[in-house]
Amino acid sequence: MHLRILLLSLPAFLALSGCTKDPDDTFDTGDVDTDTDTDTDTDTDTDPDTDEPTEDVIACETPLPAVDDGLCSVTGDPATATHILLQGTVLGDSTYLDGGVLAERGNNGLITCTGCDCADEAPEDTLVVTCPEGVISPGLINSHDHIGWTRNGPGNLPAVERYDHRHDWREGIRGHTEVSSGGSLTSAEGVLYGEIRMLLGGATSIAGSGGADGLLRNMDRNSQNGGLRSTGSDYSTFPLGDASGLLAASGCDRYDIDSESVLNNPSYLPHIAEGIDPEANNEFRCLSTDAGGGTNLVAANTAIIHGIGLTPPDIGLVASVGAQLIWSPRSNISLYGMTAPVTQYDTQGVRIALGTDWTPSGSATMLRELTCASELNAEHYDSYFSDADLWRMATENGGVAMGAESQLGRLATGYVADISIFDGTVESAHSAVVNADQADVVAVFRGGELLSGDTDIVAAMRTLAGELVDWLRRRLPASASFTVADVPLGRIQRVGLEPQHEQWNVDRALYAARLVFALHANVHQGGAFTNHGLGFIEIHLTEHRRLQ
């Protein structure tokens, strides 16, 4: 069992099982594409490269040295290093066995090398993380979530009832049972409580209809995207203005549709056709044409969320303008008994990204969503998608959907060094990511700086005292005073505060995460901190818990 450090807090592991399945559920499997195109990209420039990646596997000539203990070893001085070199199996535009990724350290450090020769290019003052059996991937991008609900567990969904449209379960109409989602918490504390779970599942970015400073890049919040350039997703839960539950099987005059100005953003993320009935399909018609009272908002920078109720001609229109699909299979199947016809989308040339939707009916982490997609692919799509295809839905395709395709989602020169390392001792290459659980996430970096990692990596890269001082100085008023001391690894340090959580003995990780986030929210909102009396929780060992 891994021991994990997150900033100066500890993990709260929550996970959902594989895709919800019912023997009576049906799945639209679409058509299977037998295209075996093997074109490769020979671009050798140093600018961000946005061509299609290849599936080449390259074995580097120099094997990586074995690690004496654990999965990874760390060498170099973290106090002075200007760059970081990550070594292992690298999932770049090609897969490099015994390869490396060299990146700048600092605010939004960029990747300067990917491949076999990065060690030769590394400056003298480079921190080296060597993981011979590690798999190095771009940080996962969660292209769709409702982060305000992430503190809630899976909703109390009916055992056998399936819905025809999202308004059926939202409003309990047309003879359907209303689903209680537990309410939203969009404060910094609530958002960060959800983001810790995503981060521990290897994610570095999210479009979650909310945000807070400090952990994931919030791609639909310009001020909270971690300093990326020229990005900003317009996230629209009700692009038809139908939050009241308005349904129309034909015609668009009753809707209050988003303005065309939304397309001035780098990306537009509307919920469209979340359902399987004529009313769901009519949503697409009203948002894909200017005729009949509609407004055409399906463009090259549109990424359709859900898109379940589209027909093949509809999908052809999506493909013709270069729009994308954001797929949330677990939530779709839980609610509707089927999901978007993704093989049809792919066959017609639509790029597909992956998102968790929300915890009441979706996944708690991107790894659980990948598990669901993989299971569905194997059992109902005849393994139409390779593991590399599924992995790309959670990385590169997410970057495109977010309008950040030149910055995020690939391990390539000029891209921001958002990187996750996975345990590759059992699975290899892309499969090590697609089939991973939280315990398999070894380290997560954002812009070349470590956010979360196994104890041996974090302990070698920085001291707790130094990290704590740095964290506090970035967040406290200049007049604040404080003292810190090293806390022995493997302990919980509390100062002046006794836990009040009624399940402390059985749920300490969950309580501790809330405690740290409460402290963060207090600082974030400008509250007094000096002599506050809260303790700092450094790490904690806990069993991985499953909610279902």
Side-chain angles (χ1 to χ4, degrees):
M1 182 177 295
H2 291 287
L3 195 59
R4 188 67 48 82
I5 299 178
L6 170 73
L7 296 176
L8 60 145
S9 68
L10 59 120
F13 292 97
L14 298 173
L16 299 174
S17 60
C19 282
T20 299
K21 296 181 295 183
D22 186 291
D24 296 326
D25 285 348
T26 59
F27 301 89
D28 189 328
T29 59
D31 297 327
V32 176
D33 182 10
T34 58
D35 184 5
T36 57
D37 185 283
T38 57
D39 290 347
T40 58
D41 177 13
T42 58
D43 191 338
T44 58
D45 63 28
T46 57
D47 295 325
D49 180 2
T50 56
D51 293 338
E52 287 293 329
T54 72
E55 301 289 4
D56 294 339
V57 177
I58 299 173
C60 299
E61 293 183 1
T62 306
L64 296 176
V67 174
D68 292 335
D69 185 31
L71 192 73
C72 304
S73 65
V74 181
T75 58
D77 186 352
T80 61
T82 60
H83 289 70
I84 184 167
L85 175 63
L86 307 177
Q87 297 180 307
T89 295
V90 176
L91 304 182
D93 291 352
S94 298
T95 297
Y96 296 93
L97 308 180
D98 293 322
V101 179
L102 180 65
E104 302 164 336
R105 296 186 76 205
N107 185 30
N108 282 336
L110 301 180
I111 295 172
T112 62
C113 174
T114 300
C116 294
D117 302 321
C118 296
D120 296 334
E121 297 184 20
E124 181 177 354
D125 205 353
T126 295
L127 194 63
V128 181
V129 181
T130 302
C131 310
E133 294 186 291
V135 174
I136 303 168
S137 166
L140 305 185
I141 299 173
N142 186 349
S143 295
H144 172 54
D145 196 273
H146 296 268
I147 195 69
W149 276 268
T150 194
R151 67 190 176 98
N152 302 322
N156 186 23
L157 303 181
V160 296
E161 183 178 358
R162 294 295 181 265
Y163 299 89
D164 298 317
H165 193 282
R166 64 172 172 166
H167 292 330
D168 290 339
W169 59 262
R170 289 185 62 248
E171 303 293 333
I173 60 176
R174 302 195 295 186
H176 283 287
T177 305
E178 183 177 356
V179 173
S180 175
S181 58
S184 174
L185 179 63
T186 57
S187 66
E189 177 185 2
V191 169
L192 289 170
Y193 177 66
E195 288 190 4
I196 184 177
R197 202 162 58 210
M198 299 294 176
L199 177 63
L200 290 167
T204 51
S205 298
I206 186 172
S209 188
D213 294 323
L215 292 182
L216 302 190
R217 299 184 190 276
N218 301 117
M219 300 304 294
D220 53 336
R221 295 291 189 273
N222 264 336
S223 62
Q224 295 166 334
N225 68 12
L228 297 180
R229 65 183 186 277
S230 302
T231 64
S233 300
D234 188 299
Y235 182 113
S236 184
T237 305
F238 299 104
L240 296 160
D242 58 336
S244 65
L246 176 63
L247 291 167
S250 62
C252 310
D253 293 338
R254 297 167 61 199
Y255 290 127
D256 181 15
I257 298 175
D258 283 349
S259 165
E260 291 180 353
S261 64
V262 296
L263 297 178
N264 295 332
N265 295 281
S267 68
Y268 174 52
L269 313 176
H271 289 61
I272 300 178
E274 186 182 346
I276 60 175
D277 58 6
E279 287 81 359
N281 182 258
N282 189 53
E283 293 180 6
F284 177 77
R285 298 182 185 279
C286 292
L287 292 167
S288 61
T289 178
D290 293 324
T295 302
N296 186 2
L297 299 179
V298 179
N301 61 335
T302 301
I304 295 172
I305 296 172
H306 297 305
I308 305 169
L310 272 65
T311 65
D314 297 334
I315 296 170
L317 191 157
V318 174
S320 70
V321 299
Q324 296 93 47
L325 173 74
I326 297 176
W327 183 35
S328 298
R330 183 194 302 279
S331 184
N332 294 165
I333 293 168
S334 297
L335 293 168
Y336 311 107
M338 64 188 304
T339 187
V342 286
T343 57
Q344 182 77 50
Y345 276 95
D346 184 76
T347 298
Q348 294 190 237
V350 177
R351 189 186 297 264
I352 303 169
L354 200 64
T356 56
D357 196 4
W358 66 342
T359 52
S361 61
S363 294
T365 70
M366 281 294 287
L367 295 181
R368 304 309 301 154
E369 195 70 22
L370 278 168
T371 296
C372 177
S374 177
E375 178 183 289
L376 186 62
N377 181 52
E379 295 186 8
H380 296 278
Y381 298 158
D382 194 27
S383 298
Y384 172 89
F385 297 107
S386 67
D387 281 351
D389 293 331
L390 297 173
W391 164 84
R392 196 168 292 115
M393 293 179 190
T395 54
E396 182 194 9
N397 292 0
V400 175
M402 299 300 104
E405 62 268 29
S406 65
Q407 301 178 78
L408 298 179
R410 291 172 64 194
L411 299 183
T413 298
Y415 278 69
V416 177
D418 287 5
I419 302 171
S420 295
I421 302 178
F422 296 85
D423 188 335
T425 56
V426 176
E427 302 278 358
S428 63
H430 305 92
S431 301
V433 181
V434 172
N435 298 317
D437 208 340
Q438 284 88 340
D440 300 314
V441 181
V442 179
V444 181
F445 299 83
R446 198 185 87 173
E449 290 295 329
L450 185 68
L451 286 186
S452 173
D454 287 347
T455 310
D456 51 356
I457 294 178
V458 177
M461 292 185 67
R462 66 183 105 184
T463 66
L464 172 64
E467 167 66 7
L468 184 53
V469 169
D470 180 64
W471 189 84
L472 289 171
R473 284 178 176 162
R474 291 197 306 269
R475 290 162 173 79
L476 297 182
S479 59
S481 61
F482 54 89
T483 59
V484 297
D486 282 310
V487 179
L489 298 180
R491 291 182 50 197
I492 292 179
Q493 178 73 17
R494 299 192 303 272
V495 180
L497 183 70
E498 289 300 319
Q500 301 299 317
H501 194 276
E502 62 182 4
Q503 295 182 352
W504 172 255
N505 289 328
V506 297
D507 205 5
R508 289 174 291 181
L510 201 57
Y511 172 85
R514 286 174 177 161
L515 174 60
V516 172
F517 291 153
L519 169 62
H520 185 284
N522 183 45
V523 174
H524 182 75
Q525 296 167 6
F529 179 86
T530 305
N531 299 321
H532 195 283
L534 280 177
F536 299 103
I537 298 174
E538 189 251 335
I539 58 174
H540 183 64
L541 184 65
T542 183
E543 293 183 0
H544 306 299
R545 301 190 304 119
R546 296 272 175 89
L547 289 182
Q548 67 176 38

Coordinates of all heavy atoms in Angstrom, one line a residue, residues 274-344:
E274 N -28.9 15.2 -23.9 CA -28.7 14.2 -22.8 C -30.0 13.5 -22.6 O -30.8 13.8 -21.7 CB -28.2 14.9 -21.5 CG -27.9 13.9 -20.4 CD -27.5 14.6 -19.1 OE1 -27.2 15.8 -19.0 OE2 -27.5 13.8 -18.0
G275 N -30.2 12.5 -23.4 CA -31.3 11.7 -23.4 C -31.5 10.9 -24.6 O -30.7 11.0 -25.6
I276 N -32.5 10.1 -24.7 CA -32.7 9.2 -25.8 C -34.0 9.4 -26.6 O -34.4 8.6 -27.4 CB -32.6 7.7 -25.3 CG1 -33.7 7.4 -24.3 CG2 -31.2 7.4 -24.7 CD1 -33.7 6.0 -23.8
D277 N -34.8 10.4 -26.3 CA -36.1 10.6 -26.8 C -36.0 11.7 -27.9 O -35.0 12.4 -28.1 CB -37.1 10.9 -25.7 CG -36.7 12.2 -24.9 OD1 -35.7 12.8 -25.2 OD2 -37.4 12.4 -23.9
P278 N -37.2 12.0 -28.6 CA -37.2 13.0 -29.6 C -36.9 14.4 -29.0 O -36.3 15.3 -29.7 CB -38.6 13.0 -30.1 CG -39.1 11.6 -29.9 CD -38.4 11.1 -28.6
E279 N -37.2 14.6 -27.8 CA -36.9 15.9 -27.1 C -35.4 16.1 -27.0 O -34.9 17.3 -27.2 CB -37.6 16.0 -25.7 CG -39.1 16.1 -25.8 CD -39.8 14.8 -26.0 OE1 -39.2 13.8 -26.2 OE2 -41.1 14.9 -26.0
A280 N -34.7 15.1 -26.7 CA -33.2 15.2 -26.7 C -32.7 15.5 -28.0 O -31.8 16.3 -28.2 CB -32.6 13.9 -26.1
N281 N -33.1 14.8 -29.0 CA -32.6 15.0 -30.4 C -33.0 16.4 -30.9 O -32.2 17.1 -31.6 CB -33.2 14.0 -31.4 CG -32.7 14.2 -32.8 OD1 -33.4 14.7 -33.6 ND2 -31.4 13.8 -33.0
N282 N -34.1 16.9 -30.5 CA -34.5 18.3 -30.9 C -33.6 19.4 -30.3 O -33.4 20.4 -30.9 CB -36.0 18.6 -30.5 CG -36.5 19.9 -31.1 OD1 -36.4 20.1 -32.3 ND2 -37.0 20.7 -30.2
E283 N -33.0 19.1 -29.2 CA -32.0 20.0 -28.6 C -30.9 20.2 -29.6 O -30.5 21.4 -29.8 CB -31.5 19.5 -27.3 CG -32.5 19.4 -26.2 CD -31.8 18.9 -24.9 OE1 -30.6 18.7 -24.9 OE2 -32.6 18.7 -23.9
F284 N -30.4 19.2 -30.2 CA -29.3 19.3 -31.2 C -29.8 20.1 -32.4 O -29.1 21.0 -32.9 CB -28.8 17.9 -31.6 CG -27.7 18.0 -32.7 CD1 -26.4 18.4 -32.3 CD2 -28.0 17.8 -34.0 CE1 -25.4 18.5 -33.3 CE2 -27.0 17.9 -35.0 CZ -25.7 18.2 -34.6
R285 N -31.0 19.8 -32.9 CA -31.5 20.6 -34.0 C -31.6 22.1 -33.7 O -31.2 22.9 -34.6 CB -32.9 20.0 -34.4 CG -32.8 18.5 -34.8 CD -34.2 18.0 -35.3 NE -34.1 16.6 -35.5 CZ -33.7 16.1 -36.7 NH1 -33.3 16.8 -37.6 NH2 -33.7 14.7 -36.8
C286 N -32.0 22.4 -32.5 CA -32.2 23.8 -32.2 C -30.8 24.5 -32.0 O -30.7 25.8 -32.1 CB -33.0 24.0 -30.9 SG -34.7 23.5 -31.1
L287 N -29.8 23.7 -31.7 CA -28.4 24.3 -31.5 C -27.5 24.1 -32.7 O -26.3 24.5 -32.6 CB -27.8 23.7 -30.2 CG -28.6 24.1 -28.9 CD1 -28.1 23.2 -27.8 CD2 -28.3 25.5 -28.6
S288 N -28.0 23.6 -33.8 CA -27.1 23.3 -34.9 C -27.6 24.0 -36.2 O -27.0 23.7 -37.3 CB -27.0 21.8 -35.1 OG -28.2 21.2 -35.4
T289 N -28.6 24.8 -36.1 CA -29.1 25.5 -37.3 C -29.7 26.8 -36.8 O -30.2 27.0 -35.7 CB -30.2 24.7 -38.0 OG1 -30.6 25.4 -39.1 CG2 -31.3 24.3 -37.1
D290 N -29.7 27.8 -37.7 CA -30.3 29.1 -37.5 C -31.8 29.1 -37.9 O -32.5 30.1 -37.7 CB -29.6 30.2 -38.2 CG -28.2 30.4 -37.6 OD1 -28.0 30.3 -36.4 OD2 -27.3 30.7 -38.4
A291 N -32.2 28.0 -38.5 CA -33.6 27.9 -39.0 C -34.6 27.6 -37.9 O -34.2 27.0 -36.8 CB -33.7 26.9 -40.1
G292 N -35.8 28.0 -38.1 CA -36.9 27.6 -37.1 C -36.7 28.1 -35.7 O -37.2 27.4 -34.8
G293 N -36.1 29.2 -35.5 CA -35.9 29.7 -34.2 C -34.7 29.2 -33.5 O -34.4 29.5 -32.3
G294 N -33.9 28.4 -34.2 CA -32.6 27.9 -33.6 C -31.5 28.8 -33.7 O -31.6 29.9 -34.4
T295 N -30.4 28.4 -33.1 CA -29.1 29.2 -33.2 C -28.0 28.2 -33.4 O -27.8 27.3 -32.6 CB -28.8 30.0 -31.9 OG1 -29.9 30.9 -31.7 CG2 -27.5 30.8 -32.1
N296 N -27.2 28.3 -34.5 CA -26.2 27.4 -34.8 C -25.0 27.6 -33.9 O -24.2 28.6 -34.1 CB -25.8 27.4 -36.2 CG -24.8 26.3 -36.6 OD1 -24.4 25.5 -35.8 ND2 -24.4 26.3 -37.8
L297 N -24.8 26.8 -32.9 CA -23.6 26.9 -32.0 C -22.7 25.7 -32.0 O -21.8 25.5 -31.2 CB -24.2 27.1 -30.5 CG -25.0 28.3 -30.2 CD1 -25.5 28.3 -28.8 CD2 -24.3 29.6 -30.6
V298 N -22.8 24.9 -33.1 CA -22.0 23.8 -33.3 C -20.9 24.2 -34.2 O -21.1 24.3 -35.4 CB -22.7 22.5 -33.8 CG1 -21.8 21.4 -34.0 CG2 -23.8 22.1 -32.8
A299 N -19.7 24.4 -33.7 CA -18.6 24.9 -34.5 C -17.3 24.2 -34.1 O -17.3 23.2 -33.3 CB -18.4 26.4 -34.2
A300 N -16.2 24.5 -34.7 CA -14.9 23.8 -34.5 C -14.5 23.9 -33.1 O -13.8 23.0 -32.6 CB -13.9 24.4 -35.4
N301 N -14.9 24.9 -32.3 CA -14.5 25.0 -30.9 C -15.6 24.6 -30.0 O -15.5 24.9 -28.8 CB -14.0 26.5 -30.6 CG -15.1 27.5 -30.8 OD1 -16.0 27.3 -31.6 ND2 -15.0 28.6 -30.2
T302 N -16.6 23.9 -30.5 CA -17.6 23.4 -29.6 C -17.3 21.9 -29.2 O -16.9 21.1 -30.1 CB -19.0 23.4 -30.4 OG1 -19.3 24.7 -30.8 CG2 -20.1 22.8 -29.5
A303 N -17.4 21.6 -28.0 CA -17.3 20.2 -27.5 C -18.6 19.9 -26.8 O -18.9 20.4 -25.7 CB -16.1 20.1 -26.5
I304 N -19.4 19.0 -27.5 CA -20.7 18.7 -27.0 C -20.6 17.7 -25.8 O -20.0 16.7 -25.9 CB -21.5 18.0 -28.2 CG1 -21.7 19.0 -29.3 CG2 -22.8 17.4 -27.6 CD1 -22.4 18.4 -30.5
I305 N -21.2 18.1 -24.7 CA -21.3 17.3 -23.5 C -22.5 16.3 -23.7 O -23.6 16.7 -23.9 CB -21.4 18.1 -22.3 CG1 -20.1 19.0 -22.1 CG2 -21.6 17.2 -21.0 CD1 -20.2 20.0 -21.0
H306 N -22.2 15.0 -23.5 CA -23.1 13.9 -23.6 C -23.5 13.5 -25.0 O -23.0 12.5 -25.5 CB -24.4 14.2 -22.8 CG -24.1 14.3 -21.3 ND1 -23.4 13.4 -20.6 CD2 -24.4 15.4 -20.5 CE1 -23.3 13.8 -19.3 NE2 -23.9 15.0 -19.2
G307 N -24.3 14.3 -25.8 CA -24.6 14.0 -27.2 C -25.1 12.6 -27.4 O -24.8 11.9 -28.4
I308 N -26.0 12.1 -26.5 CA -26.5 10.7 -26.5 C -27.5 10.6 -27.7 O -27.5 9.7 -28.4 CB -27.2 10.3 -25.2 CG1 -26.2 10.5 -24.0 CG2 -27.7 8.9 -25.3 CD1 -26.9 10.3 -22.7
G309 N -28.4 11.6 -27.8 CA -29.5 11.5 -28.7 C -29.3 12.0 -30.1 O -30.2 12.4 -30.8
L310 N -28.0 11.9 -30.6 CA -27.8 12.3 -32.0 C -27.9 11.1 -33.0 O -27.5 10.0 -32.6 CB -26.4 12.9 -32.1 CG -26.3 14.4 -31.9 CD1 -26.6 14.8 -30.5 CD2 -24.9 14.9 -32.2
T311 N -28.3 11.3 -34.2 CA -28.4 10.3 -35.2 C -27.1 10.4 -36.0 O -26.4 11.3 -36.0 CB -29.6 10.6 -36.1 OG1 -29.4 11.8 -36.8 CG2 -30.9 10.7 -35.3
P312 N -26.9 9.3 -36.9 CA -25.7 9.4 -37.8 C -25.6 10.6 -38.6 O -24.5 11.2 -38.7 CB -25.9 8.1 -38.6 CG -26.5 7.2 -37.7 CD -27.5 8.0 -36.9
P313 N -26.7 11.1 -39.2 CA -26.6 12.4 -39.9 C -26.2 13.6 -39.0 O -25.4 14.5 -39.4 CB -28.0 12.6 -40.6 CG -28.5 11.2 -40.7 CD -28.0 10.5 -39.5
D314 N -26.7 13.6 -37.8 CA -26.3 14.6 -36.9 C -24.9 14.6 -36.6 O -24.2 15.6 -36.5 CB -27.1 14.4 -35.5 CG -28.6 14.6 -35.7 OD1 -29.1 15.3 -36.6 OD2 -29.3 14.0 -34.8
I315 N -24.4 13.3 -36.3 CA -22.9 13.2 -36.0 C -22.1 13.6 -37.2 O -21.0 14.2 -37.1 CB -22.7 11.7 -35.6 CG1 -23.4 11.4 -34.3 CG2 -21.2 11.4 -35.5 CD1 -23.4 9.9 -34.0
G316 N -22.6 13.3 -38.4 CA -21.9 13.8 -39.6 C -21.8 15.3 -39.7 O -20.7 15.8 -40.1
L317 N -22.8 16.0 -39.2 CA -22.7 17.4 -39.2 C -21.7 17.9 -38.2 O -20.9 18.8 -38.4 CB -24.1 18.0 -38.8 CG -24.3 19.5 -38.9 CD1 -25.8 19.8 -39.1 CD2 -23.7 20.3 -37.7
V318 N -21.6 17.2 -37.0 CA -20.6 17.5 -36.0 C -19.2 17.3 -36.5 O -18.4 18.2 -36.4 CB -20.8 16.6 -34.7 CG1 -19.7 16.8 -33.7 CG2 -22.2 16.9 -34.1
A319 N -19.0 16.2 -37.3 CA -17.7 16.0 -37.8 C -17.4 17.0 -38.9 O -16.2 17.4 -39.0 CB -17.7 14.6 -38.4
S320 N -18.3 17.4 -39.7 CA -18.0 18.3 -40.8 C -17.5 19.7 -40.4 O -16.8 20.3 -41.1 CB -19.3 18.5 -41.7 OG -20.3 19.3 -41.0
V321 N -17.9 20.1 -39.2 CA -17.4 21.4 -38.7 C -16.2 21.3 -37.7 O -15.7 22.3 -37.2 CB -18.5 22.2 -38.0 CG1 -19.7 22.5 -39.0 CG2 -19.1 21.5 -36.8
G322 N -15.8 20.0 -37.4 CA -14.7 19.8 -36.5 C -15.0 19.9 -35.1 O -14.1 20.1 -34.2
A323 N -16.3 19.8 -34.7 CA -16.6 19.9 -33.3 C -16.3 18.5 -32.6 O -16.0 17.5 -33.3 CB -18.1 20.1 -33.1
Q324 N -16.3 18.5 -31.3 CA -15.9 17.4 -30.5 C -17.0 16.8 -29.6 O -18.0 17.5 -29.4 CB -14.7 17.7 -29.6 CG -13.4 18.1 -30.3 CD -13.3 19.6 -30.5 OE1 -13.5 20.3 -29.6 NE2 -12.9 20.0 -31.7
L325 N -16.8 15.7 -29.0 CA -17.7 15.1 -28.1 C -17.0 14.9 -26.8 O -15.9 14.4 -26.7 CB -18.3 13.7 -28.6 CG -19.1 12.9 -27.6 CD1 -20.5 13.5 -27.5 CD2 -19.2 11.4 -28.0
I326 N -17.7 15.2 -25.7 CA -17.2 14.9 -24.3 C -18.1 13.7 -23.8 O -19.4 13.9 -23.6 CB -17.2 16.1 -23.4 CG1 -16.3 17.1 -23.9 CG2 -16.8 15.7 -22.0 CD1 -16.3 18.4 -23.1
W327 N -17.5 12.6 -23.5 CA -18.2 11.4 -23.2 C -18.2 11.1 -21.7 O -17.1 11.1 -21.1 CB -17.6 10.2 -24.0 CG -18.2 8.9 -23.9 CD1 -19.5 8.6 -23.8 CD2 -17.5 7.6 -24.0 NE1 -19.7 7.2 -23.8 CE2 -18.5 6.6 -23.9 CE3 -16.2 7.3 -24.2 CZ2 -18.1 5.3 -23.9 CZ3 -15.8 6.0 -24.2 CH2 -16.8 5.0 -24.1
S328 N -19.3 10.8 -21.1 CA -19.4 10.4 -19.7 C -20.2 9.1 -19.6 O -21.4 9.0 -19.2 CB -20.1 11.5 -18.8 OG -19.3 12.7 -18.9
P329 N -19.6 7.9 -19.9 CA -20.3 6.7 -20.0 C -20.9 6.2 -18.7 O -22.1 5.7 -18.8 CB -19.2 5.7 -20.5 CG -17.9 6.3 -20.2 CD -18.1 7.8 -20.3
R330 N -20.2 6.3 -17.6 CA -20.8 5.8 -16.4 C -22.1 6.5 -16.0 O -23.2 5.8 -15.8 CB -19.9 5.9 -15.2 CG -20.4 5.3 -13.9 CD -19.6 5.7 -12.7 NE -18.2 5.4 -12.8 CZ -17.7 4.2 -12.5 NH1 -18.5 3.2 -12.2 NH2 -16.5 3.9 -12.6
S331 N -22.2 7.8 -16.1 CA -23.4 8.5 -15.7 C -24.5 8.2 -16.7 O -25.6 8.0 -16.4 CB -23.1 10.0 -15.7 OG -24.2 10.8 -15.2
N332 N -24.1 8.2 -18.0 CA -25.1 8.0 -19.0 C -25.8 6.6 -18.8 O -27.0 6.5 -18.9 CB -24.5 8.0 -20.4 CG -23.9 9.3 -20.8 OD1 -23.1 9.4 -21.8 ND2 -24.3 10.4 -20.1
I333 N -25.0 5.6 -18.6 CA -25.6 4.2 -18.5 C -26.4 4.1 -17.2 O -27.4 3.5 -17.1 CB -24.4 3.2 -18.5 CG1 -23.8 3.2 -19.9 CG2 -24.9 1.8 -18.2 CD1 -22.5 2.4 -20.0
S334 N -25.9 4.7 -16.1 CA -26.6 4.7 -14.8 C -28.0 5.3 -15.0 O -29.0 4.8 -14.4 CB -25.8 5.5 -13.8 OG -24.6 4.9 -13.5
L335 N -28.1 6.4 -15.8 CA -29.4 7.1 -15.9 C -30.3 6.6 -17.0 O -31.5 6.6 -16.9 CB -29.1 8.6 -16.0 CG -28.5 9.3 -14.8 CD1 -28.0 10.7 -15.1 CD2 -29.5 9.3 -13.6
Y336 N -29.6 6.3 -18.2 CA -30.4 6.1 -19.4 C -30.3 4.7 -19.9 O -31.0 4.3 -20.9 CB -30.0 7.1 -20.5 CG -30.0 8.5 -20.0 CD1 -28.7 9.2 -19.7 CD2 -31.1 9.2 -19.7 CE1 -28.7 10.5 -19.3 CE2 -31.1 10.5 -19.1 CZ -29.9 11.1 -18.9 OH -29.8 12.4 -18.4
G337 N -29.4 3.9 -19.4 CA -29.2 2.5 -19.8 C -28.5 2.4 -21.1 O -28.3 1.4 -21.7
M338 N -28.0 3.6 -21.6 CA -27.2 3.6 -22.8 C -26.4 4.9 -22.8 O -26.6 5.8 -22.0 CB -28.0 3.5 -24.1 CG -29.0 4.6 -24.3 SD -30.1 4.3 -25.7 CE -29.0 4.0 -27.0
T339 N -25.5 5.0 -23.8 CA -24.6 6.2 -23.8 C -24.5 6.7 -25.2 O -25.1 6.1 -26.2 CB -23.2 5.9 -23.2 OG1 -22.5 7.1 -23.1 CG2 -22.5 4.8 -24.0
A340 N -23.7 7.7 -25.4 CA -23.5 8.2 -26.8 C -22.9 7.1 -27.7 O -22.1 6.3 -27.3 CB -22.5 9.4 -26.8
P341 N -23.3 7.1 -29.0 CA -22.8 6.0 -29.9 C -21.4 6.4 -30.3 O -21.1 6.9 -31.4 CB -23.8 6.1 -31.1 CG -24.3 7.5 -31.0 CD -24.4 7.9 -29.6
V342 N -20.5 6.1 -29.4 CA -19.1 6.6 -29.6 C -18.4 6.0 -30.7 O -17.5 6.6 -31.4 CB -18.3 6.5 -28.3 CG1 -18.7 7.5 -27.3 CG2 -18.4 5.1 -27.7
T343 N -18.7 4.7 -31.0 CA -18.0 4.1 -32.2 C -18.5 4.8 -33.5 O -17.7 5.0 -34.4 CB -18.3 2.6 -32.3 OG1 -19.7 2.4 -32.3 CG2 -17.7 1.9 -31.1
Q344 N -19.7 5.2 -33.5 CA -20.2 6.0 -34.7 C -19.6 7.4 -34.8 O -19.1 7.8 -35.8 CB -21.8 6.2 -34.5 CG -22.4 6.9 -35.7 CD -22.5 6.0 -36.9 OE1 -23.1 4.9 -36.8 NE2 -22.1 6.5 -38.1

